[in-house]
Amino acid sequence: MSYVLKLVSTPKVLIDARSISPNKFAGKSLDEIRKLRILEGGAEATLDTLFSVDGPSKASQDPNSIEIIIENSSNKLCFIGYKMSGGKIVVKGDVGHFTGYKMSNGSIIVHGSARNYLGCKMRGGSIEVFGDVGHRAGGKLHGEKSGKGMRGGTIVIHGNAGSYLGWGAGGGAIIVDGNAKNFVGADITSGTIVVKGSAGIYPGFGMSGGRVVVGGRVEAMSPSFYIDSIVPSLKVRGISFNKPFATFIGDVLSSGRGVLQISYEDNKNIIDVYKQFLEESI
Amino acid sequence: MMEILIRNGIVFDPLNNIKGEVMDIAIKNGKIVDPKEIDESKAVVVDAKNKVVMAGGIDIHSHIAGPKVNVGRMIRPEDHYLTNKPHKLPYTRAETGLTVPNAYRIGYGYARLGYTFVVEPATPPIKTRHTHHELNSIPIIDKAAYVLVDSNWIVLDLIKEGKKDLLVAYLAWLLYATKTYSLKLVDPGSDVAWVLRGRGIDIDEEIPFYGITPKEIITAVAEAAQVINIPHKVHIHCNRLGYPGNYVTTLKTMTLSESVKRLAPGPAMHITHVQFTGYKGDSWATLESGGEEIAKELNRNPNATLDLGQVILGRPATTMTADAPFEFVLYHLTRWKWASSDTEIDSASGIVPYRYRKKSYVNTIQWVIGLEIALLANDLWRVFITTDHPNAGTFFDYPKIFAWLVSKKAREDTMKEVNQRALRKSVLPSIDREYSLYDIAIVTRASPAKLLGVESFKGHLGIGADADVAIYDINPNEVDISKNYDVFIKAFSRAWMVIKSGEIVVKEGEVVKTVYGKTFYVKPEIPEDVEKNLMSYLEPAFKQYYTVALDNFVIGKHEIRNPFEVSIKTHLR
Amino acid sequence: MQKTFVLVTGRSIAQGMWMESEGKWSSKYGDAVAYAEMNPEDIKTLGVKDLVKIVTDHGSVVLPVKASEKVGKGSIFIPMGPWANFVVDSDTDGTGIPYFKSTKARVEPAQEPKTTLQEILKSLGAKVPEVPMIDLEVKSGEKRVVKNVTCPFCGDLCDYLTIEVDGTRIVRNVGGCSISIAKFLNYHKHRILKPYVRDGNRFVESDLENAIEKAAKILVNSKYPLIYGLSNTCVEAIDVAVEIAEILHGAIDNTSVVCHGPTILAAQEVGTVTPTFAPVLHLADVIVFWGSNPREAHQNHIARLITSKGRFVEGRKQRKIIVIDVRKTMSAELADIFIQVEPGKDLELLTALRMAIRDLEIEAPTVAGVPREKILELAEILRTARYGVIFFGMGLTQNDARYKNIEMAIKLVQELNEWTKWVLLPMRGHYNVTGANHVLLWNTGYPYSVDFARGFPRMFVGVTSATDLLANGDVDAALIIASDPAAHFPRKAVEHLSKIPVIVVDAKWSLTTSFADIVIPVGLTGIECEGTAYRMDGVPIYMRKVLDPPQGVLCDKNVLEMLLEKIKKFKGLAK
């Protein structure tokens, strides 16, 4: 069953929209859904303050059968899909921060762009963004141990990602079709992060496990990675790269057993510095 | 201010020998008065039938304010993410944090437990202004602080040079300059050894550069405290804290209390969080409890008092102490975060997050020590309940400790879940003793008041006392607290009513009014010529050592929100 | 030919002095910050004459150019201020701190004239293009000498100043550095002496009651107000500001967010190992200044702690100074060892040092422009110090790697403690930014970038940080206290101030006042108002006053208390 939400007034401040989740709708009447609590900045409001809500008069008890469509959206809407465990949310526009925070199942599709902390501490389910994504997607919060970030599920970003992608992740998979910025996969203990385009500085910094793949140019590499080999091609998560990659193991300062693979051709100047260690060891 | 009449409560007031009598308590103008003085038609009448009534609780050692508490908050944002309580304006401000709560949670948290006086146990002189800022912000409770002196370069110079009179004058001056209540020694001398050499020292070892031993520091400061005549003499965190085998040092420290030159009756020194310094064995693998030996010494030696530092298993903690060398060791065991500060010429500190696990051998041994001592002690007036919050546990879990003391069943139920190999090495399972509610009132109200020297107006419900009252919704005549300790824990975790200085601040576990308590500090009287003499020594020493002007170091009375000055007639001549 | 340059912004003595004396509207200040420094070779290659145009994705400015060997090739330096920030990238990478030292720029010889302050203000949408430029009238009179006065400028919080007063003139400052002297002797310049309310594009004088009432109304009617600044006022006032933010369910932030915020983020990850000043003075034999230039930003620092004699160290002779920076700064000139690190690559050098300390093989022959052998040498010097200190500044916090730099620096120090004693200390900019952090910590559990939207405190850098909130237009009102974001925030953030109601509480006419709807005057803390500030090492000092505030002007704490009362009244919370 589908619910359609349309923004009827433009938010001027950050909106806490954690009520927009199949779990929050489940078992409620349409009137109750309209009166679900949201915050406009720090002011109390209800869903119908900002949205027109249409859909079945009573929502199923099972969140898995609920689909929420946001027809026109805003990048001020935060916490959409907060802790959701089933069902589907489709956003025909942008979203704000913390989309899919701690989600454990279900799917979120964003046709526009998302801001920071997308899929933060996610455990399962899937998030797909057609536009760009801000910073700290799939990561953890400050102060938490490494591995407390995204732990399961998949995030697919068709556009570009920001910095600190997958920070401190302990599992799951993040795929970026475009480019990413600084510190891709920093401090991860497990999980897979693939950036098809270029990345910023120091991918994999601090990683102690998991796998980071960058298909394009990397702005800078940390000296705490040891070169392992050069492979002619690689396949990861069903994505094939038919060109050579340099494989590094690291971060040695985190007792690194993580695997960092960067495109050889796009990063010759960085890799050739290490090449002597490859030849020496053979 | 309203008048309050608490009717028919079951009162436990050890300072006045009241053991569960049903009686009325009357409050007028913030004090306990004779019920006859109350105009019942105008008073608020509280029906305390079938409820336990005690004076507000007093915690003599809890890290609630100051630079290291704040650094603890800074490095532990994750302690705050899931532990929030929105404000309920206008009664309460927002609360956050579990092991490093914000100022409001500390005040409200203690109030909800029925505590009305808490002491911050360790503040370095140079940053004590910061400690007072935080104490000023903590709502409801009365407070005080102990000032750190054991690694202070001026103190060490004076001890080394044998200038006893100057030392006494300096410590007296320091107490008033920092507006603190008593003298604190933490792993005496170890901070200066840490700053100079990166390590700690044992009680008979020589301190680098100075050549004197911690034993000499303890003796000098304990004797100075006698001359200054402060009510709570000296508060000691023993050397070698955290190391297997350290119970020997604790026993040595306790016996020192017998040789201190005394000028006043009563205990000569207080040993704090003795659990952390009660370890037998020579490694973590052979760790055992030294609780029995310490209890024996406590029973033999009336000159020392101690508090437990009781561990709460299965809970997170944040260790934070002025024991910088030990925290460095703990950092290696936990391999996560470590904050440390070398503080002027006063002290050093360390903060390391920690978690006590039920199945851990070492943590189980730590857990039994405090309880063994509390249950083997003969004189409950010299035993105090603390968790060295937040080092061994948080103060929110105090009711759990009360339950372990009043109920053997509570101990047994917990013992089922702990490391059994460790348990087999302890005498705790064989101890049947159970505290009574009266005993709990002694160790949490009456004896702390005595230890701090405020027993004339705190810690009891007699006429003239401050109107700090806690009422718990539990009827000891109907509930067997030994069997139904769950009910007991529930009642003591959320007081049914708490009155602070004659104002009702908590109702059914909820804070309904924010008032601000007083900050207690001492003003030892120093004769003019003694002071002049001191200043001629101190001014150049200060200039040489400190990086602030002496003028700017002294804390003014106006900087304290509700100052409560305790004038002390010293033996200084 | 258009090569991409890296735009670096930062402090200079002149910037500090004129900011604190003549104020930001003065031509002296303009001259001190509206210029660019480039390497002589780059100037030659580009064919630049006097003026250069700097274009980034965020704006463009035309500035006179000065040649300097100190600037590396491929870099261009503009002192911090509204000209620099007009072109700085406001994106914070989700950390709250913009690209102050690494915005990518295109540089070309300029045809147009130099960009004026008025042009910048107009582009930003300033509401009031010209503010009343009045000085407080001072006259001679009773001569007094006040001892042990604390200087309210930088994080060194020198508390031994002797200030000589003649009536209401401050005539002498003994002990203060040049910026301190400028501040005290010019305390009367460009003062806000009355409350003002905006009417169209001018300010109309008002009275305090009215201004406070209007301000309270604005704040109570907003849904998500931001309180920002706080580092230039006392702890007692900041306490009140936190309560205001809490009641309003708004956000509250201080200048850490653009300064040492990354240092705090790093401490949240790994902890920190710090000293107060005395251990450094008495024990330090190896001192490292990394990305920090104290001779320009903390002028008394070196005299107080390094050249002075300590109990166990004879002074400069027995100390080794190591300066690590991207250019040979004034501080580098007195170093025993100067290590020039490639711009933006400090993280690599820190990592390599950690590897060297742990005897892990470094595979690259050069790291961050430093040869491997030199790194190993440096590691040995660090490992064999008796008591080592790293002082660090914006060079580490404001480059691309941001808090990760500090995280590595802290871990380096933690690991060095296995061998010997090491500590590190951030060189805090404002005299009470440390105090602002502490007040926020004990009130909310977090040090900066806090919001109360849900009725309890939260901190999420990149979401609740003032820079992100303003740059993305996420707040609908602002109360700016003792700070000048219009001068020090990137363009995109300042533009939002032109779209929302803004209340400014300040002693002097800052650039932010041109975005204000209400301006409320206050006295200068440390000169006219008493209060506590916390030094960069956390030592709290109660600052005395030297004079009374001008007639009718109150101190921050009083003004905020009045505002709080009014807000409570409008919200029905008053007793």
Side-chain angles (χ1 to χ4, degrees):
Chain A
M1 47 177 52
S2 289
Y3 285 88
V4 177
L5 273 54
K6 280 199 191 78
L7 260 184
V8 295
S9 70
T10 321
K12 294 276 186 298
V13 294
L14 290 181
I15 309 290
D16 190 321
R18 62 187 69 201
S19 301
I20 301 181
S21 148
N23 294 75
K24 288 279 161 57
F25 282 27
K28 293 203 169 65
S29 71
L30 186 56
D31 276 332
E32 284 174 317
I33 290 174
R34 289 192 174 122
K35 292 298 169 202
L36 280 172
R37 179 184 183 242
I38 64 162
L39 284 175
E40 269 190 287
E44 295 273 347
T46 50
L47 205 53
D48 60 358
T49 316
L50 287 181
F51 293 93
S52 69
V53 185
D54 287 298
S57 53
K58 185 127 202 276
S60 150
Q61 288 286 357
D62 178 17
N64 284 304
S65 59
I66 297 177
E67 181 190 40
I68 302 173
I69 302 172
I70 307 183
E71 279 288 342
N72 57 328
S73 184
S74 149
N75 72 354
K76 301 253 187 276
L77 298 173
C78 302
F79 289 106
I80 291 178
Y82 173 85
K83 285 193 182 172
M84 73 189 254
S85 68
K88 190 169 177 188
I89 301 179
V90 178
V91 184
K92 298 191 179 166
D94 299 331
V95 291
H97 303 297
F98 285 113
T99 307
Y101 177 75
K102 278 192 177 170
M103 90 189 256
S104 54
N105 214 338
S107 85
I108 300 178
I109 299 178
V110 177
H111 288 275
S113 293
R115 289 173 73 182
N116 301 333
Y117 293 100
L118 177 92
C120 174
K121 296 176 75 69
M122 181 175 173
R123 284 175 193 131
S126 74
I127 302 180
E128 185 177 6
V129 179
F130 283 88
D132 297 332
V133 159
H135 309 290
R136 302 180 180 277
K140 69 180 180 86
L141 295 174
H142 267 287
E144 297 180 317
K145 284 188 174 164
S146 296
K148 295 280 192 191
M150 171 180 191
R151 281 217 263 207
T154 334
I155 297 178
V156 175
I157 300 165
H158 295 294
N160 299 318
S163 297
Y164 307 102
L165 185 67
W167 180 44
I174 306 177
I175 318 278
V176 178
D177 288 342
N179 309 319
K181 279 183 93 182
N182 305 326
F183 294 110
V184 172
D187 298 315
I188 66 173
T189 60
S190 182
T192 310
I193 302 177
V194 181
V195 175
K196 294 181 188 167
S198 66
I201 57 177
Y202 314 125
F205 194 77
M207 71 194 288
S208 56
R211 185 177 182 192
V212 174
V213 176
V214 180
R217 188 174 164 273
V218 157
E219 246 185 80
M221 270 285 291
S222 169
S224 50
F225 281 83
Y226 288 160
I227 192 157
D228 177 77
S229 56
I230 303 208
V231 294
S233 66
L234 71 80
K235 199 163 171 202
V236 57
R237 287 268 162 175
I239 305 165
S240 296
F241 291 93
N242 291 313
K243 57 183 182 173
F245 276 74
T247 303
F248 291 82
I249 308 291
D251 183 318
V252 301
L253 286 170
S254 307
S255 54
R257 282 165 297 116
V259 174
L260 171 63
Q261 295 177 294
I262 62 177
S263 151
Y264 177 67
E265 286 151 9
D266 298 286
N267 296 295
K268 269 216 176 87
N269 58 329
I270 295 176
I271 296 167
D272 283 344
V273 163
Y274 294 89
K275 253 183 137 179
Q276 53 164 155
F277 288 93
L278 274 178
E279 277 142 26
E280 276 173 14
S281 62
I282 288 169
Chain B
M1 220 191 283
M2 56 187 166
E3 299 176 1
I4 306 175
L5 184 61
I6 305 170
R7 288 217 115 109
N8 296 320
I10 304 168
V11 178
F12 291 87
D13 185 357
L15 280 172
N16 293 311
N17 245 298
I18 297 171
K19 301 185 182 189
E21 270 174 55
V22 173
M23 54 189 283
D24 292 348
I25 305 284
I27 296 170
K28 186 174 175 175
N29 292 332
K31 295 271 185 196
I32 310 278
V33 298
D34 192 317
K36 291 195 215 89
E37 289 188 42
I38 299 288
D39 179 355
E40 265 190 61
S41 62
K42 297 211 183 92
V44 169
V45 177
V46 175
D47 179 10
K49 182 149 175 246
N50 296 329
K51 298 189 169 47
V52 167
V53 180
M54 293 186 184
I58 300 176
D59 192 346
I60 56 155
H61 186 116
S62 176
H63 296 276
I64 55 172
K68 67 177 180 303
V69 176
N70 234 12
V71 173
R73 291 178 181 120
M74 178 176 78
I75 69 167
R76 290 270 262 164
E78 73 278 10
D79 185 70
H80 305 137
Y81 294 142
L82 298 175
T83 54
N84 297 295
K85 197 173 156 105
H87 53 209
K88 260 209 183 80
L89 303 167
Y91 308 119
T92 61
R93 299 279 300 266
E95 301 173 50
T96 186
L98 175 61
T99 65
V100 276
N102 68 339
Y104 304 108
R105 170 153 273 166
I106 292 177
Y108 300 145
Y110 266 108
R112 289 185 193 113
L113 292 178
Y115 272 73
T116 53
F117 194 147
V118 182
V119 185
E120 160 56 48
T123 173
I126 190 70
K127 288 186 176 178
T128 298
R129 181 170 272 121
H130 177 166
T131 306
H132 280 296
H133 285 161
E134 294 198 25
L135 289 177
N136 287 345
S137 289
I138 298 176
I140 302 178
I141 54 177
D142 288 328
K143 41 243 163 168
Y146 309 139
V147 67
L148 288 160
V149 297
D150 63 276
S151 287
N152 178 291
W153 292 11
I154 295 175
V155 167
L156 295 174
D157 283 346
L158 291 171
I159 294 176
K160 179 165 184 191
E161 292 161 19
K163 297 192 166 112
K164 277 202 181 144
D165 291 336
L166 268 178
L167 175 67
V168 175
Y170 174 58
L171 291 174
W173 174 88
L174 186 66
L175 283 163
Y176 184 59
T178 55
K179 303 290 181 289
T180 49
Y181 200 75
S182 179
L183 302 168
K184 179 74 185 289
L185 308 179
V186 169
D187 200 340
S190 282
D191 279 341
V192 76
W194 165 254
V195 172
L196 293 179
R197 295 286 183 274
R199 59 186 190 86
I201 43 172
D202 203 350
I203 190 171
D204 289 312
E205 277 184 71
E206 280 187 11
I207 300 171
F209 178 72
Y210 284 96
I212 53 182
T213 63
K215 186 171 175 184
E216 291 175 66
I217 299 177
I218 297 169
T219 309
V221 176
E223 288 182 353
Q226 294 282 330
V227 177
I228 301 172
N229 204 21
I230 37 181
H232 182 42
K233 299 288 179 292
V234 62
H235 200 102
I236 304 174
H237 153 151
C238 296
N239 294 86
R240 301 298 288 162
L241 179 135
Y243 293 93
N246 61 11
Y247 85 106
V248 172
T249 304
T250 303
L251 293 178
K252 283 190 191 163
T253 313
M254 287 172 81
T255 39
L256 266 183
S257 65
E258 292 180 300
S259 52
V260 167
K261 237 185 304 193
R262 306 274 291 281
L263 293 173
M269 65 171 59
H270 178 87
I271 310 294
T272 190
H273 45 64
V274 77
Q275 171 273 127
F276 282 118
T277 56
Y279 303 151
K280 248 189 188 163
D282 54 34
S283 70
W284 294 116
T286 59
L287 192 72
E288 278 183 47
S289 160
E292 277 183 273
E293 280 79 357
I294 292 175
K296 215 197 266 166
E297 173 63 18
L298 180 72
N299 290 337
R300 180 197 76 82
N301 177 359
N303 301 296
T305 54
L306 56 78
D307 68 80
L308 303 181
Q310 177 62 35
V311 162
I312 309 285
L313 292 172
R315 300 285 268 157
T318 299
T319 65
M320 53 169 69
T321 78
D323 195 333
F326 175 67
E327 292 286 4
F328 186 49
V329 169
L330 189 60
Y331 165 55
H332 286 86
L333 294 174
T334 56
R335 292 172 198 239
W336 187 24
K337 305 195 227 200
W338 169 50
S340 178
S341 172
D342 289 349
T343 311
E344 274 314 76
I345 61 145
D346 295 343
S347 173
S349 70
I351 303 164
V352 172
Y354 193 71
R355 195 184 182 93
Y356 293 93
R357 295 179 196 281
K358 290 184 186 164
K359 293 297 183 201
S360 154
Y361 174 82
V362 167
N363 295 155
T364 301
I365 297 280
Q366 291 176 305
W367 176 72
V368 305
I369 296 174
L371 293 176
E372 282 174 3
I373 295 174
L375 293 166
L376 293 173
N378 294 336
D379 180 6
L380 294 188
W381 288 81
R382 289 188 288 124
V383 172
F384 303 86
I385 297 182
T386 62
T387 56
D388 190 17
H389 166 86
N391 285 279
T394 64
F395 67 81
F396 303 110
D397 281 330
Y398 281 176
K400 282 204 184 121
I401 306 176
F402 304 158
W404 286 323
L405 292 172
V406 304
S407 161
K408 179 164 182 176
K409 183 164 185 293
R411 300 197 287 270
E412 285 171 343
D413 286 346
T414 304
M415 287 195 274
K416 287 190 196 125
E417 304 178 305
V418 306
N419 181 297
Q420 298 302 306
R421 185 169 70 94
L423 201 56
R424 277 195 289 276
K425 304 217 178 146
S426 164
V427 299
L428 187 64
S430 65
I431 300 178
D432 292 326
R433 180 183 186 182
E434 291 178 332
Y435 274 36
S436 63
L437 268 180
Y438 184 72
D439 292 335
I440 296 286
I442 294 175
V443 298
T444 59
R445 273 91 176 148
S447 61
K450 268 191 106 172
L451 189 73
L452 296 175
V454 293
E455 72 271 29
S456 59
F457 59 103
K458 292 276 186 209
H460 74 97
L461 296 170
I463 293 172
D466 281 355
D468 297 339
V469 187
I471 305 175
Y472 299 100
D473 189 5
I474 185 166
N475 183 350
N477 301 318
E478 279 183 12
V479 177
D480 179 353
I481 58 178
S482 161
K483 279 213 205 65
N484 298 322
Y485 64 87
D486 274 343
V487 175
F488 171 67
I489 291 179
K490 200 157 168 228
F492 272 72
S493 297
R494 290 172 72 78
W496 183 75
M497 180 177 284
V498 178
I499 297 166
K500 177 75 188 73
S501 304
E503 304 267 6
I504 298 176
V505 291
V506 171
K507 269 194 192 156
E508 289 185 68
E510 285 306 321
V511 174
V512 297
K513 185 168 192 173
T514 294
V515 299
Y516 281 88
K518 301 192 269 287
T519 302
F520 283 54
Y521 62 92
V522 294
K523 183 171 189 191
E525 135 216 277
I526 309 176
E528 227 184 280
D529 55 333
V530 173
E531 178 141 16
K532 239 189 171 152
N533 200 19
L534 170 68
M535 281 330 210
S536 63
Y537 178 90
L538 191 59
E539 271 157 17
F542 210 91
K543 206 167 164 140
Q544 187 199 356
Y545 291 152
Y546 279 98
T547 57
V548 300
L550 179 52
D551 236 354
N552 293 326
F553 169 85
V554 178
I555 299 172
K557 199 166 171 177
H558 66 96
E559 298 186 65
I560 302 192
R561 192 182 195 136
N562 289 333
F564 187 88
E565 194 168 284
V566 178
S567 287
I568 309 281
K569 257 190 111 56
T570 66
H571 293 291
L572 275 165
R573 295 287 164 260
Chain C
M1 184 209 70
Q2 254 167 44
K3 184 178 134 188
T4 312
F5 281 73
V6 174
L7 169 62
V8 180
T9 69
R11 276 205 189 278
S12 75
I13 298 184
Q15 173 260 336
M17 273 180 66
W18 296 118
M19 165 171 86
E20 292 296 329
S21 56
E22 299 290 329
K24 298 210 184 69
W25 292 87
S26 68
S27 57
K28 293 245 174 59
Y29 173 76
D31 290 337
V33 301
Y35 70 89
E37 262 180 29
M38 290 174 68
N39 186 286
E41 281 189 47
D42 282 333
I43 294 178
K44 201 158 157 214
T45 323
L46 286 177
V48 166
K49 298 254 172 19
D50 307 305
L51 293 167
V52 78
K53 183 170 180 178
I54 301 123
V55 183
T56 69
D57 288 341
H58 317 280
S60 71
V61 275
V62 175
L63 292 171
V65 70
K66 294 187 190 170
S68 168
E69 285 290 347
K70 293 186 174 154
V71 180
K73 283 202 285 203
S75 282
I76 179 164
F77 174 81
I78 305 177
M80 60 192 274
W83 282 267
N85 285 315
F86 200 62
V87 294
V88 157
D89 186 351
S90 63
D91 189 9
T92 72
D93 262 13
T95 63
I97 191 162
Y99 279 80
F100 287 126
K101 290 204 190 307
S102 47
T103 298
K104 303 218 179 0
R106 288 189 321 281
V107 180
E108 53 196 48
Q111 313 304 332
E112 312 98 291
K114 163 181 168 176
T115 312
T116 63
L117 179 62
Q118 282 303 322
E119 284 170 340
I120 290 183
L121 287 177
K122 189 150 178 243
S123 289
L124 294 171
K127 299 166 191 164
V128 179
E130 267 177 52
V131 301
M133 297 287 265
I134 5 165
D135 292 344
L136 169 66
E137 231 189 270
V138 289
K139 9 185 220 266
S140 298
E142 187 200 337
K143 290 195 175 31
R144 290 181 294 123
V145 175
V146 189
K147 291 202 146 123
N148 292 326
V149 173
T150 307
C151 173
F153 177 62
C154 81
D156 268 90
L157 213 56
C158 300
D159 70 319
Y160 50 82
L161 271 44
T162 302
I163 305 293
E164 288 176 27
V165 176
D166 176 4
T168 51
R169 279 184 217 283
I170 297 182
V171 294
R172 206 153 170 242
N173 168 346
V174 180
C177 67
S178 60
I179 300 182
S180 176
I181 292 172
K183 180 157 190 169
F184 274 88
L185 269 54
N186 294 290
Y187 87 100
H188 57 288
K189 294 252 174 83
H190 297 169
R191 296 295 300 269
I192 306 173
L193 293 171
K194 287 210 167 353
Y196 288 88
V197 174
R198 182 173 70 85
D199 180 13
N201 67 348
R202 7 179 309 277
F203 283 126
V204 174
E205 275 182 31
S206 177
D207 64 271
L208 194 56
E209 260 299 320
N210 184 34
I212 296 224
E213 170 135 1
K214 282 198 156 66
K217 268 225 171 72
I218 289 176
L219 292 170
V220 165
N221 289 332
S222 64
K223 297 205 160 104
Y224 195 40
L226 166 68
I227 299 181
Y228 177 76
L230 305 174
S231 304
N232 282 335
T233 181
C234 62
V235 153
E236 293 80 355
I238 302 171
D239 236 350
V240 184
V242 178
E243 191 173 357
I244 295 177
E246 188 174 329
I247 290 185
L248 294 172
H249 281 235
I252 178 165
D253 205 351
N254 60 58
T255 63
S256 312
V257 72
V258 291
C259 183
H260 271 285
T263 302
I264 299 174
L265 294 180
Q268 290 183 333
E269 295 302 298
V270 297
T272 178
V273 181
T274 58
T276 65
F277 282 176
V280 175
L281 171 64
H282 295 302
L283 295 162
D285 62 336
V286 175
I287 295 132
V288 179
F289 284 102
W290 201 317
S292 160
N293 186 10
R295 284 185 78 193
E296 299 212 49
H298 294 87
Q299 289 176 55
N300 280 353
H301 194 85
I302 291 181
R304 286 182 73 179
L305 298 183
I306 296 171
T307 45
S308 293
K309 182 171 178 300
R311 189 180 194 186
F312 299 99
V313 181
E314 282 295 313
R316 177 69 182 91
K317 284 184 291 180
Q318 288 189 337
R319 305 191 211 262
K320 198 182 223 110
I321 303 183
I322 302 171
V323 170
I324 303 177
D325 212 315
V326 301
R327 58 192 183 119
K328 197 158 190 179
T329 58
M330 273 179 77
S331 305
E333 284 160 19
L334 40 79
D336 295 300
I337 300 174
F338 169 61
I339 295 180
Q340 187 154 20
V341 60
E342 261 175 56
K345 303 264 184 190
D346 303 81
L347 187 62
E348 289 177 39
L349 181 55
L350 282 160
T351 303
L353 274 171
R354 279 188 67 199
M355 291 169 74
I357 300 289
R358 283 164 64 159
D359 288 317
L360 290 165
E361 169 117 35
I362 301 170
E363 291 189 329
T366 325
V367 176
V370 182
R372 181 174 45 212
E373 297 67 47
K374 217 175 164 101
I375 297 176
L376 295 173
E377 251 175 62
L378 182 58
E380 257 320 285
I381 295 175
L382 300 184
R383 233 188 333 220
T384 51
R386 286 308 296 277
Y387 194 97
V389 191
I390 300 180
F391 289 110
F392 63 97
M394 301 295 95
L396 282 186
T397 63
Q398 286 185 352
N399 77 31
D400 273 9
R402 296 183 168 88
Y403 75 86
K404 283 272 174 222
N405 283 327
I406 321 301
E407 204 182 309
M408 289 301 107
I410 296 172
K411 287 215 82 67
L412 173 64
V413 165
Q414 287 173 335
E415 281 155 9
L416 281 167
N417 270 283
E418 310 270 348
W419 298 85
T420 179
K421 282 287 297 172
W422 268 87
V423 289
L424 85 173
L425 194 62
M427 300 286 281
R428 305 306 299 267
H430 296 272
Y431 71 92
N432 196 26
V433 62
T434 306
N437 289 136
H438 278 291
V439 174
L440 270 144
L441 276 167
W442 75 63
N443 271 288
T444 72
Y446 302 106
Y448 70 101
S449 293
V450 178
D451 102 325
F452 287 98
R454 296 185 69 201
F456 56 80
R458 304 182 305 171
M459 172 190 182
F460 299 118
V461 284
V463 175
T464 56
S465 20
T467 38
D468 292 293
L469 288 172
L470 285 174
N472 293 290
D474 291 331
V475 292
D476 59 348
L479 168 60
I480 312 286
I481 304 171
S483 181
D484 197 0
H488 295 143
F489 269 27
R491 170 189 194 160
K492 201 158 166 237
V494 182
E495 277 169 358
H496 191 61
L497 291 176
S498 69
K499 302 193 185 107
I500 55 175
V502 175
I503 303 148
V504 171
V505 174
D506 211 328
K508 294 203 171 197
W509 289 100
S510 61
L511 290 177
T512 308
T513 51
S514 69
F515 292 84
D517 296 273
I518 301 179
V519 180
I520 301 178
V522 284
L524 286 161
T525 309
I527 299 178
E528 298 161 335
C529 295
E530 296 187 349
T532 313
Y534 285 48
R535 204 165 67 181
M536 61 166 71
D537 59 354
V539 170
I541 299 178
Y542 188 77
M543 310 173 81
R544 63 198 71 220
K545 64 181 185 187
V546 165
L547 294 160
D548 284 324
Q551 180 82 300
V553 173
L554 301 176
C555 294
D556 285 298
K557 178 166 179 262
N558 308 112
V559 165
L560 292 177
E561 280 172 340
M562 288 173 70
L563 186 58
L564 177 63
E565 276 316 300
K566 252 313 160 8
I567 291 171
K568 278 184 173 166
K569 187 161 151 240
F570 286 146
K571 287 209 150 220
L573 293 169
K575 299 199 207 316

